[in-house]
């Protein structure tokens, strides 16, 4: 059919619109080039491609116009001329702000709606061909189309797609279509014409179109055959046995169970469907008179899946849907915590009160641009600035915002169970449920652990900048056969493994990771539970904190410009988050740990333990999920690369065995663990990308997405599911949200003062309360303060107020314990006194009674009254070791315990007739008369605050300098070298009790050193000086052993002494303990550490040191100098010691505590610089006779001091002795204000130097 110029015009209009679209896209592209839009880079390049394509469409179309109508080239030129004139005229007549191409596009769109381009050709159709068949009327003939058109239309009806308005073939419509096709083909056969389409082909088209329930033509054929057999009346149903339960009934049952929330999940899963079928079968069995308990209720997995699909499809209109999303197991408490507005508010205020620093922005935050912050972030910064009351604030460096968390992997050898039902993740949910739009899929269940296998726990610390600490791989649950108690006494074997890090399978990667083995030590009885100081979880966290977390923070600070030994500036403070586990909390709240955190400027924040899935960055990042995914498909079985595999083999074959590890009893465990360790570096390299780590901190609200520095209030509150919910029954109303924002200043100030905001505080200020999984309001208040801290929402653990609350709690518990102990002491003493009175009376009754064994029942009957109390005391002393008389353990079968079984019972009857089933007090007293007394007297209790500083040793697979004091005392070579080198002190015999005392003394020194470093005696710029952090701390075990072996520690149980008490024994005699320097010529000529004792007040008051060259560098010379200075007013002004203890008869200043004349000078430890052997033992490092630890870093610092190295080392030894004895003095009696190690760098004012250093 020939085309007309009118058709060409329509085509040209369409192509012109393509040109106009191209013009519009060009404008968008130009606007995107300036970089101020949110389009991605690839979008801009795609726009250029679209523009070029549309221009080509127009060119091709204009070229084709010349071929589709006569005079095509003239038509194109005429069209362009008319279009140009129309555009010029329109621009002159119209003042519209819309561009010309936009107006033309709108006109084209409107014209299309009215039928532009759809006009029928005005040309008449060709005449109908002649036909032999008669027609009904001429009017009917005019409306018929050609036979070719009829055949084409008929074929379209049988292309496999359902006919309008049906969207899918039903069985009835499909059967009728096949019947109609058979009739058409039969008529065409009668007319000697070809069949329209074969039924086989039509069935194949239907199956291929996929708009029916049939996947192949055979199913359609069987269904159609049955339909014909049923006389075209009933549509055949599927084959097989009838269903156990009707579909409608099944749907109603599912809805009822979901509405009643009778299941343990927010979704209806396949196991719940199995319960429905079982209930139906048991109900039918009861109706039929069968035993429902013994009926076989097994249901095939395919049947359950088919029922799930049928219910979802049948109930689609009523609100049921099908989901394949994997559900997370949640306890009820976790559900409540994740929907808690108060919990999110506590989290938000904890973050915002600790993640900002007062003052101008440091150079390390030069990339932080406040102008690029979002509106929410800017508002948050302004709120915090107002709360701080400061002119300038800045966020904590993202490199020092840390989150520590761990995840457990179960490493097995072989495949896991691939069951049909268990692995099917589809489940039904109710789309009409009010909370369906905001509730994440969950199932409420108990916390369970997979039995068997090898538990591998990975611990990571991530920073908000995307960094990660070395991995910490802990294998827990080992038995005593797998980790020997002999070689690994405290159940923790740890070792650095080179290459066990991200990308560590590369030979040139010098990183490392930690491999730790933990034994599952069992507590045998109640006594063990009370005496055990540390669980294996405590030990693991202490080791991780000391060996991984603290070195990681220090290395980050060094990269940011901090130098070792310098004071840590406020802008380099670290905010460390953890999940609030009980084991972690127990190790963090001791005085020594709190002092160390204060010195290191580390803020410890805890999450709500049940909200970590919504608030903890490590959980929110994809790292853990990716590692678990990669683990399923990773193996090093066929890996032949050298490097890490040789290292792992060496450790497992020799080094770890020397530490007590033996996994040979379970080869599958060993092989699975080695395979996992070899795959771990690659898994971490693929999963621990910086963008993955940072994503967790962004999702947790700790940093903003725009700059990666600032936490935002709205994002922090968004960790509560209810805060972002759009559901009216679950979500928070706008007015309530605004109220929460308005109360921020009041509540954040409470947070800054107390370290937390309690539920009571938030309820008082109108913050919305918690709900349960059924969306019911909870009348529940979480604990706060020092009680049950693991159950509390987010808080700052080491805030000053929190530490005070814990101290008050410790004192309160100690007071209660003291009151109980005092009561026990008095009651037990009364019982023992009564027992002694009864014994004395019995022994004095007859001359024949030589011992209590000679006492008869008749003698007991002659005791003075009251019989009951006295006999009970006599029995109690021999039966129970406590204040309580446990009568229930002594009563007979009738539950009675009287003086006699009956009134006036004779002695012979008591002895013959009474027994444990029918006892009386006289019979028990006679039976137990000769038994030993088990009730022991109690000491008079003292009200004191004990140190809680547990001590344990981490076993290493290779030699280490970190020895326990008890190990030093068990080394005869070390003891011999000490005796040769140290003068002025006599050794005492070594015993097991002395070894235990030395170990505990070491932990006490460690805690006291941390307090000393954080005190005012050490200048803020020197609190991390190498002399304290390295040299002193490394040598605490050796010093504890030396102080104990010289008998300088109190004889009492030092575990009852507090951190502020003196642990040095009193100088009672010359033969024991301390040696008096005054009057002893030999000792007076030595150098080292000395102490002053106040005989008037009977207490130690000061330690000191002397070393160097010259006559004044010995004890005698130093004592003369002190004696002279005690008479000088100038020295009193310069030194606190002479002001408090001046000489008698001289003018003094200030308030004195005594007189210098009443002080005696004693030797702590001394050395003779003229004896080369002894000096060599003191200064040697690494040799057999070495007494102290001289690390490479310490030796480098000493070498930088210049001069003779051995003299500098002797100075360091004397300072070490002085400081350790100083730490053991009572805090209230110690008059020294010196930090120690003055000449080695701790003296801030260097204007006054001396040859002999004090």
């Amino acid at each position: 059919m020939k085309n007309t110029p009118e058709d060409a015009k329509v085509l040209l209009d369409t192509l012109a619109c393509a040109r106009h679209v191209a013009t519009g896209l060009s404008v968008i592209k130009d606007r995107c080039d300036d970089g101020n839009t949110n389009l991605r880079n690839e979008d801009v390049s795609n726009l250029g491609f679209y523009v070029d394509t549309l221009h080509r469409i127009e060119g091709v179309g204009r070229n084709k116009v010349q071929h589709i109508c006569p005079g095509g080239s003239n038509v194109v030129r005429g069209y362009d001329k008319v279009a140009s004139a129309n555009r010029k005229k329109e621009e002159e007549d119209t003042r519209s702000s819309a561009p010309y191409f936009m107006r033309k596009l709108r006109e084209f769109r409107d014209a299309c709606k009215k039928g532009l381009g759809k006009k029928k050709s005005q040309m008449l159709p060709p005449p109908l061909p002649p036909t032999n068949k008669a027609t009904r009327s001429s009017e009917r003939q005019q409306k018929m189309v050609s036979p070719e058109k009829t055949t084409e239309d008929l074929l379209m009806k049988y292309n496999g797609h359902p006919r309008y308005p049906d969207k899918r073939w039903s069985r009835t419509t499909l059967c009728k279509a096949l019947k109609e096709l058979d009739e058409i083909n039969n008529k065409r056969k009668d007319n000697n014409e070809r069949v329209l389409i074969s039924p086989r082909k039509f069935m194949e088209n239907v199956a291929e179109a996929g708009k029916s329930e049939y996947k192949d033509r055979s199913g359609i054929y069987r269904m159609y055959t049955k339909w014909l057999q049923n006389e075209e009346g009933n549509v055949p149903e599927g084959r097989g046995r009838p269903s156990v339960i009707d579909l409608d009934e099944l749907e109603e049952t599912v809805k009822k169970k979901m509405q009643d929330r009778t299941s343990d999940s927010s979704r209806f899963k396949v196991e719940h469907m199995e319960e429905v079928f079982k209930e139906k079968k048991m109900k039918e069995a009861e109706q039929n008179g069968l035993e429902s308990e013994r009926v076989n209720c097994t249901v095939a997995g395919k049947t359950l899946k088919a029922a799930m699909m049928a219910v979802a499809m049948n109930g689609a209109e009523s609100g049921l849907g099908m989901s394949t999303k994997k559900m997370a197991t949640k306890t009820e408490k976790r559900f409540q915590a994740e929907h808690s507005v108060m919990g999110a508010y506590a989290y938000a205020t904890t973050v915002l009160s600790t993640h900002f620093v007062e003052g101008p922005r440091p150079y390390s935050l030069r990339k932080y641009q406040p102008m690029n912050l979002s509106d929410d972030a800017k508002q948050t910064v302004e709120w915090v600035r107002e709360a701080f009351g400061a002119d300038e604030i800045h966020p904590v460096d993202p490199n020092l915002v840390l989150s520590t968390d761990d995840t457990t992997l179960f490493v097995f050898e072989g495949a896991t169970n691939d069951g049909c039902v268990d692995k099917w993740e589809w489940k039904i949910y109710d789309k009409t449920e009010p909370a369906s739009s905001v509730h994440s899929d969950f199932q409420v269940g108990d916390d369970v652990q997979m039995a068997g296998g090898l538990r591998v726990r990975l611990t990571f610390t991530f920073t908000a900048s995307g960094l990660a600490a070395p991995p910490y791989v802990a294998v827990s649950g080992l038995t005593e056969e797998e980790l020997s108690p002999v070689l690994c006494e405290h159940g923790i074997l740890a070792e650095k493994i080179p290459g066990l890090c991200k990308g560590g399978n590369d030979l040139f990667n010098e990183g490392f990771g930690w491999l730790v083995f933990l034994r599952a030590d069992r507590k045998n009885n109640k006594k063990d539970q009370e005496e055990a100081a540390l669980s294996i979880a405590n030990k693991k966290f202490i080791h991780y904190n000391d060996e991984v977390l603290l070195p990681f923070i220090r290395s980050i600070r060094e990269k940011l410009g901090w130098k070792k030994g310098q004071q840590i500036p406020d802008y380099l403070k670290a905010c460390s988050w953890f999940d609030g586990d009980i084991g972690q909390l127990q190790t963090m709240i001791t005085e020594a740990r709190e002092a160390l955190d204060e010195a290191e400027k580390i803020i410890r924040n805890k999450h709500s333990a049940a909200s970590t899935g919504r608030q903890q960055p490590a959980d929110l990042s994809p790292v853990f999920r990716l590692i678990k995914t990669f683990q399923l498909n990773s193996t090093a079985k066929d890996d032949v690369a050298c490097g890490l595999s040789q290292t792992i083999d060496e450790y497992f074959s020799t080094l770890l065995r020397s530490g007590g590890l033996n996994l040979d009893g379970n080869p599958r465990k060993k092989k699975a663990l080695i395979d996992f360790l070899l795959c771990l570096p690659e898994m971490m390299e693929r999963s621990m990308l910086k963008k993955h780590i940072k994503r967790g901190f962004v999702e947790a609200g700790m940093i903003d997405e725009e700059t990666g520095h600032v936490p935002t209030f709205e994002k922090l509150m968004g960790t509560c599911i209810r805060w972002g919910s759009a559901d009216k029954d679950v979500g928070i109303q706008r007015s309530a949200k605004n109220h929460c924002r308005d109360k921020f200043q009041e509540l954040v100030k409470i947070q800054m003062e107390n370290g937390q905001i309690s539920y009571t505080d938030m309820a008082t200020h109108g913050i919305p309360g918690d709900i349960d999984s059924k969306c019911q309001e909870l009348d529940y208040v979480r604990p706060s303060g020092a009680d049950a801290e693991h159950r509390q929402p987010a808080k700052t653990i080491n805030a000053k107020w929190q530490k005070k609350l814990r101290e008050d709690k410790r004192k309160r518990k100690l007071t209660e314990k003291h009151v109980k102990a005092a009561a026990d002491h008095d009651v037990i003493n009364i019982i023992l006194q009564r027992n002694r009175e009864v014994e004395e009376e019995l022994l004095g009754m007859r001359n024949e009674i030589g011992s209590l064994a000679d006492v008869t029942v008749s003698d007991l009957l002659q005791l003075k009254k009251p019989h009951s109390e006295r006999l009970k005391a006599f029995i109690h002393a021999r039966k129970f070791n406590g204040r309580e008389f446990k009568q229930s353990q002594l009563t007979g079968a009738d539950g009675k315990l009287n003086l006699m079984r009956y009134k006036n019972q004779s002695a012979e009857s008591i002895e013959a007739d009474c027994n444990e089933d029918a006892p009386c007090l006289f019979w028990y007293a006679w039976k137990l008369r000769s038994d030993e007394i088990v009730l022991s007297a109690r000491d008079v209790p003292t009200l004191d605050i004990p140190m809680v500083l547990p001590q344990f040793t981490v076993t290493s697979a290779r030699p280490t300098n970190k020895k326990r004091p008890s190990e030093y005392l068990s080394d005869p070579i070390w003891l011999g070298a000490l005796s040769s080198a140290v003068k002025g002190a006599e050794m005492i015999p070594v015993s097991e009790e002395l070894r235990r005392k030395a170990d505990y003394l070491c932990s006490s020194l460690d805690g006291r050193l941390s307090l000393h470093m954080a005190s005012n005696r050490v200048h803020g710029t020197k609190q991390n000086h190498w002399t304290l952090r390295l040299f002193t701390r490394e040598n605490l075990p050796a010093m504890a052993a030396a102080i104990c072996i010289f008998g300088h520690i109190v004889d009492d149980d030092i575990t009852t002494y507090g951190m502020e008490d003196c642990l040095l024994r009193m100088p009672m005699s010359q033969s024991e303990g301390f040696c008096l320097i005054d009057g002893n010529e030999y000792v007076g000529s030595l150098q080292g550490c000395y102490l002053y004792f106040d005989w008037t007040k009977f207490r130690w008051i000061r330690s000191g040191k002397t070393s160097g060259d010259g006559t004044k560098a010995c004890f005698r010379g130093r004592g003369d100098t002190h004696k002279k200075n005690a008479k000088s007013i100038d020295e009193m002004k310069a030194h606190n010691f002479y002001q408090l203890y001046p000489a008698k008869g001289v003018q003094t200043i200030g308030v004195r505590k005594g007189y210098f004349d009443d002080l005696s000078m004693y030797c702590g430890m001394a050395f003779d610089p003229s004896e080369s052997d002894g000096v060599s033992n003191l200064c040697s490092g690494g040799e057999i006779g070495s007494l102290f630890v001289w690390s490479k870093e310490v030796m480098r610092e000493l070498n930088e001091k210049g001069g003779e190295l051995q003299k500098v080392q002797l100075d360091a030894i004397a300072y070490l002795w002085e400081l350790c004895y100083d730490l053991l003095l009572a805090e209230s009696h110690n008059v020294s204000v010196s930090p120690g190690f003055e000449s080695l760098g701790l003296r801030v004012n260097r204007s006054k130097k001396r040859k002999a250093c004090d």
Side-chain angles (χ1 to χ4, degrees), residues 46-104:
N46 288 342
L47 285 174
F49 173 77
Y50 300 152
V51 170
D52 180 70
T53 302
L54 289 173
H55 282 302
R56 291 180 182 274
I57 291 173
E58 182 190 16
V60 171
R62 291 170 64 89
N63 184 41
K64 292 296 182 182
V65 167
Q66 302 179 24
H67 302 283
I68 65 174
C69 67
S73 58
N74 294 330
V75 173
V76 172
R77 283 195 296 270
Y79 178 87
D80 289 341
K81 185 175 181 180
V82 173
S84 177
N86 290 340
R87 176 174 182 173
K88 183 176 181 181
K89 184 176 184 303
E90 185 173 344
E91 289 177 348
E92 291 175 353
D93 297 341
T94 258
R95 295 184 179 180
S96 174
S97 60
Y100 174 75
F101 67 86
M102 288 298 296
R103 295 199 299 272
K104 299 305 292 182

Side-chain angles (χ1 to χ4, degrees), residues 228-244:
L228 294 176
Q229 293 174 356
N230 292 337
E231 298 181 356
E232 306 175 10
N234 299 323
V235 179
E237 298 293 336
R239 295 179 296 175
R241 292 171 295 178
S243 176
V244 174

Side-chain angles (χ1 to χ4, degrees), residues 1011-1030:
L1011 294 173
H1012 175 76
M1013 294 168 64
S1015 68
N1016 295 330
R1017 292 176 60 181
V1018 181
H1019 194 269
T1021 61
K1022 304 293 184 179
Q1023 289 180 345
N1024 281 284
H1025 197 265
W1026 63 270
T1027 54
L1028 301 176
R1029 177 175 53 85
L1030 292 176

Side-chain angles (χ1 to χ4, degrees), residues 437-601:
S437 60
V438 294
H439 280 174
S440 61
D441 289 351
F442 74 94
Q443 53 185 349
V444 178
D446 298 327
D447 296 330
V448 296
Q449 291 182 340
M450 183 180 294
L454 186 68
R455 290 180 292 177
V456 177
R457 197 161 184 83
L458 298 180
T459 304
F460 292 106
T461 295
F462 299 142
T463 72
S465 61
L467 302 179
Y472 190 88
V473 183
V475 182
S476 59
L478 299 183
T479 64
E480 293 186 355
E481 289 75 19
E482 294 170 331
L483 189 58
S484 170
V486 177
L487 298 176
C488 185
E489 179 181 358
H490 291 93
I492 175 170
L493 172 65
E495 188 54 57
K496 281 184 180 180
I497 306 295
L500 190 64
C501 59
K502 183 169 66 172
N505 43 11
D506 188 340
L507 288 176
F508 300 98
N509 191 321
E510 298 180 355
F512 64 90
W514 283 92
L515 179 59
V516 182
F517 295 91
L518 306 171
R519 185 174 60 241
D521 290 335
R522 296 288 184 265
K523 297 173 183 177
N524 297 325
N525 50 46
K526 185 176 180 181
K527 181 180 178 182
D528 290 340
Q529 295 178 11
E530 293 174 350
E531 294 181 354
L534 289 174
S535 67
I536 199 66
N538 297 146
K539 296 174 185 178
K540 175 199 163 193
F541 182 76
I542 292 175
H543 182 255
Y544 183 84
N545 185 77
D546 295 345
E547 300 296 338
V548 181
L549 183 61
L550 290 180
F552 182 55
I553 293 175
R554 290 167 184 158
S555 63
I556 291 175
R557 285 172 172 162
E558 290 180 8
K559 293 295 183 181
L560 295 176
W562 174 74
K563 302 294 183 183
K564 291 182 179 179
Q566 292 181 348
Q567 182 184 15
I568 300 173
D570 289 338
Y571 72 86
L572 287 182
K573 77 173 182 180
C575 296
S576 178
W577 286 83
F578 64 100
D579 57 11
D581 180 74
I582 296 178
Q584 298 178 10
L585 279 171
Q586 289 173 340
T587 58
M588 250 189 279
I589 59 179
T590 60
E591 295 177 31
R593 291 283 164 185
E594 291 173 348
L596 180 60
D597 287 341
E598 186 176 352
E600 293 281 349
K601 287 195 176 177

Side-chain angles (χ1 to χ4, degrees), residues 977-994:
L978 183 70
S979 176
S980 173
V982 178
K983 312 297 182 183
E986 296 293 332
M987 287 188 176
I988 63 175
V990 178
S991 64
E992 190 61 33
E993 176 62 28
L994 188 68

Side-chain angles (χ1 to χ4, degrees), residues 322-336:
M322 186 71 77
S323 170
T324 59
K325 183 179 179 181
K326 187 175 182 180
M327 295 189 297
T329 301
K330 296 182 183 178
T331 62
E332 179 67 26
K333 292 298 181 183
R334 181 173 289 272
F335 178 91
Q336 296 172 11

Side-chain angles (χ1 to χ4, degrees), residues 851-868:
S851 65
L852 292 176
D854 300 328
V855 173
T856 64
V857 177
S858 300
D859 297 329
L860 291 171
L861 291 173
Q862 297 177 18
L863 286 172
K864 297 178 181 179
K865 296 183 179 181
H867 289 151
S868 178

Side-chain angles (χ1 to χ4, degrees), residues 817-1097:
K817 184 178 179 181
H818 174 267
V819 172
K820 182 179 180 301
D824 291 346
H825 171 269
D826 296 340
V827 172
I828 290 174
N829 283 346
I830 292 174
I831 295 172
L832 292 174
Q833 177 63 28
R834 289 177 178 173
N835 172 68
R836 284 193 294 270
E837 293 174 356
V838 172
E839 289 179 353
E840 291 173 0
E841 184 178 351
L842 290 173
L843 292 173
M845 280 187 176
R846 294 183 290 110
N847 295 331
E848 293 82 3
I849 299 178
S851 65
L852 292 176
D854 300 328
V855 173
T856 64
V857 177
S858 300
D859 297 329
L860 291 171
L861 291 173
Q862 297 177 18
L863 286 172
K864 297 178 181 179
K865 296 183 179 181
H867 289 151
S868 178
E869 292 182 3
R870 302 184 73 197
L871 287 176
K872 282 185 177 180
F874 186 80
I875 298 169
H876 190 160
R878 290 159 175 77
K879 192 70 176 178
F880 307 113
N881 186 20
R883 62 176 291 182
E884 182 183 356
F885 183 80
K886 300 177 182 179
Q887 185 167 322
S888 60
Q889 297 182 11
L890 304 178
T891 56
D894 56 0
K896 296 179 181 180
L897 182 65
N898 299 320
L899 279 173
M900 302 177 181
R901 294 298 297 175
Y902 51 86
K903 190 175 181 179
N904 299 326
Q905 186 178 8
S906 64
E908 294 78 8
S909 175
I910 292 175
E911 185 173 347
D913 299 337
C914 291
N915 51 51
E916 292 184 354
D917 291 331
C920 66
L921 290 176
F922 280 110
W923 179 79
Y924 264 122
W926 174 71
K927 179 185 177 184
L928 300 173
R929 65 192 185 282
S930 59
D931 288 1
E932 293 183 0
I933 295 177
V934 297
L935 181 63
S936 58
R938 303 297 193 263
D939 296 331
V940 178
T942 58
L943 182 60
D944 220 342
I945 300 177
M947 303 178 297
V948 186
L949 294 172
Q951 180 77 5
F952 71 98
T953 299
V954 178
T955 305
S956 177
R958 56 181 61 204
T960 176
N961 290 327
K962 293 185 178 180
K963 295 171 62 176
R964 297 174 63 194
S966 56
E967 296 178 48
Y968 281 108
L969 295 178
S970 301
D971 186 355
I973 298 178
W974 186 84
L975 291 174
L978 183 70
S979 176
S980 173
V982 178
K983 312 297 182 183
E986 296 293 332
M987 287 188 176
I988 63 175
V990 178
S991 64
E992 190 61 33
E993 176 62 28
L994 188 68
R995 293 189 183 96
R996 286 196 295 267
K997 182 179 288 188
D999 287 341
Y1000 202 90
L1001 178 64
C1002 181
S1003 67
S1004 176
L1005 284 171
D1006 185 74
R1008 293 178 182 225
L1009 177 61
S1010 297
L1011 294 173
H1012 175 76
M1013 294 168 64
S1015 68
N1016 295 330
R1017 292 176 60 181
V1018 181
H1019 194 269
T1021 61
K1022 304 293 184 179
Q1023 289 180 345
N1024 281 284
H1025 197 265
W1026 63 270
T1027 54
L1028 301 176
R1029 177 175 53 85
L1030 292 176
F1031 182 62
T1032 303
R1033 198 175 291 280
E1034 288 175 350
N1035 284 291
L1036 289 181
M1039 283 302 301
I1043 294 173
C1044 286
I1045 194 63
F1046 289 131
H1048 290 173
I1049 295 300
V1050 294
D1051 293 330
D1052 303 335
D1053 182 4
I1054 64 173
T1055 62
T1056 62
Y1057 284 72
M1059 296 284 284
E1060 70 284 352
D1061 293 333
C1062 178
L1063 293 179
L1064 297 179
R1065 69 179 303 164
M1066 299 295 108
M1068 300 303 296
S1069 65
Q1070 189 72 16
S1071 60
E1072 294 182 4
F1074 296 92
C1075 177
L1076 184 66
I1077 295 176
D1078 299 330
N1080 191 323
E1081 289 296 325
Y1082 173 69
V1083 177
S1085 65
L1086 302 176
Q1087 300 179 12
C1089 168
Y1090 60 88
L1091 299 103
Y1092 274 110
F1093 187 81
D1094 185 349
W1095 281 100
T1096 303
K1097 297 184 177 179

